[in-house]
Amino acid sequence: MKITLIKSLSALTLTTALTVMSVPHVHAETVEVRGQISYGYSFTPTGVEQYTTGHYLLEITQQPSMPLMYSASSWRQYTDALSQVKVTLFDAQGNEIAVRQPLKVAELTQPTNTLYFDFGRMANYASWTLTGVSQEQFNSQLNLNLRGPNQSLFESTAEFPRFVSSPRYVNATLFSSVETAAGDDALYLSGSVTDINYLTQDSDADGILDDVDACPASDISTTVVVGANDTGVTNSVDSVGCSISDKVQACSADAQSKGAEVSCVSHLAKQLRKEGIISNSDHGALLRHL
């Protein structure tokens, strides 16, 4: 479960300025899966091509938000999961093999779009499913699975499950089928996974990647500036990507009066001082410059 701040500062209350709230969403990111081809084929209206050597690259682009549908102690299912999966195949000499790409979610109407994680005692499993109808009114389906033994695939499952970078004994299978006026165009792929990488950005340059940043557009000025006044207080960023300036601005944006703003910042400063993030003099400086 993603830890995040409400993005609109005007919607923040004192509580959300001091703490973060838990919502069942994750930020967009691309998961890059690389591996060796064991077997695969392309089935097109013009013929069949088989693959028994080479390697693959799967670029899994996820949606900006992913609501949690169902969960239990060892599994979770999310909806609105995928934006697209790009498939790139290479032969044994490293030459790219042209294949029909799965349709993107934007190209489908009424899509079924889910991500399922299972991290039980016997096995680790992740499955993306995207089905729907194309703009030409033809069926499209995509299913991508990663499966391995227990403790082989996930680095963490405490919040939103994170993959390990070098999985052990994990296999990927992909099946994509796109109907066309000329006939079915299908792609099947199976092979061991060698690497999994997250292609994410740090948009606000605060040291916290966007996919885990609770404040992805942080004010990262060197010191905390209140209005036109430089308080001289070091503008540190916390572990979830929110700076002190972000929190002070949240108080100011939500306050209905000057007194409410001062009260909010006072509570914030007290909490930061208690955590050892600012000093007693910093506490006073924040209030003096309001």
Side-chain angles (χ1 to χ4, degrees):
M1 189 170 289
K2 176 64 64 179
I3 301 298
T4 186
L5 280 172
I6 297 175
K7 296 299 184 278
S8 171
L9 288 177
S10 63
L12 285 170
T13 62
L14 170 60
T15 301
T16 55
L18 298 178
T19 62
V20 291
M21 61 181 294
S22 179
V23 294
H25 295 85
V26 298
H27 294 291
E29 62 189 352
T30 297
V31 182
E32 184 183 81
V33 179
R34 296 179 180 269
Q36 300 295 320
I37 298 173
S38 297
Y39 178 72
Y41 64 81
S42 288
F43 179 87
T44 70
T46 59
V48 178
E49 184 176 1
Q50 298 189 59
Y51 317 112
T52 56
T53 60
H55 61 280
Y56 61 82
L57 167 61
L58 308 175
E59 296 172 78
I60 307 162
T61 303
Q62 301 183 139
Q63 293 273 39
S65 63
M66 196 182 301
L68 179 66
M69 293 178 63
Y70 308 106
S71 66
S73 59
S74 64
W75 63 267
R76 295 174 197 150
Q77 184 171 340
Y78 299 83
T79 189
D80 298 336
L82 280 174
S83 179
Q84 71 175 84
V85 174
K86 180 181 178 183
V87 182
T88 308
L89 303 185
F90 303 90
D91 62 21
Q93 288 72 45
N95 301 307
E96 185 173 337
I97 303 170
V99 295
R100 172 64 184 259
Q101 293 297 317
L103 293 185
K104 305 174 184 178
V105 69
E107 299 172 311
L108 300 173
T109 60
Q110 300 180 331
T112 299
N113 186 3
T114 61
L115 168 59
Y116 175 80
F117 286 106
D118 193 318
F119 38 91
R121 292 188 301 170
M122 301 301 295
N124 286 173
Y125 180 69
S127 177
W128 293 263
T129 299
L130 177 59
T131 63
V133 179
S134 69
Q135 296 172 356
E136 294 78 19
Q137 298 302 301
F138 291 108
N139 293 321
S140 171
Q141 60 176 306
L142 167 69
N143 185 247
L144 170 59
N145 301 318
L146 304 180
R147 183 188 294 273
N150 185 33
Q151 298 183 346
S152 64
L153 185 56
F154 301 115
E155 178 181 281
S156 170
T157 58
E159 294 178 3
F160 188 79
R162 302 283 297 180
F163 295 109
V164 297
S165 58
S166 300
R168 298 177 295 110
Y169 314 113
V170 172
N171 197 70
T173 58
L174 176 143
F175 178 74
S176 171
S177 176
V178 180
E179 292 182 356
T180 68
D184 290 350
D185 205 328
L187 173 65
Y188 174 79
L189 174 70
S190 177
S192 59
V193 178
T194 56
D195 301 280
I196 302 178
N197 298 301
Y198 286 91
L199 306 183
T200 53
Q201 297 180 322
D202 180 11
S203 299
D204 56 8
D206 64 354
I208 307 295
L209 294 177
D210 288 352
D211 65 311
V212 292
D213 195 335
C215 298
S218 286
D219 178 344
I220 56 168
S221 305
T222 304
T223 56
V224 179
V225 177
V226 179
N229 301 313
D230 188 341
T231 66
V233 176
T234 300
N235 185 31
S236 60
V237 176
D238 64 19
S239 61
V240 296
C242 295
S243 68
I244 295 176
S245 287
D246 294 335
K247 299 172 185 179
V248 171
Q249 290 168 17
C251 284
S252 300
D254 192 64
Q256 300 299 312
S257 65
K258 191 64 178 180
E261 179 186 4
V262 172
S263 177
C264 180
V265 174
S266 178
H267 281 84
L268 169 63
K270 182 178 180 181
Q271 181 68 29
L272 294 173
R273 188 188 56 183
K274 183 183 298 184
E275 295 172 359
I277 298 172
I278 65 173
S279 65
N280 288 337
S281 59
D282 289 337
H283 185 163
L286 287 175
L287 297 179
R288 275 198 311 275
H289 289 86
L290 287 175

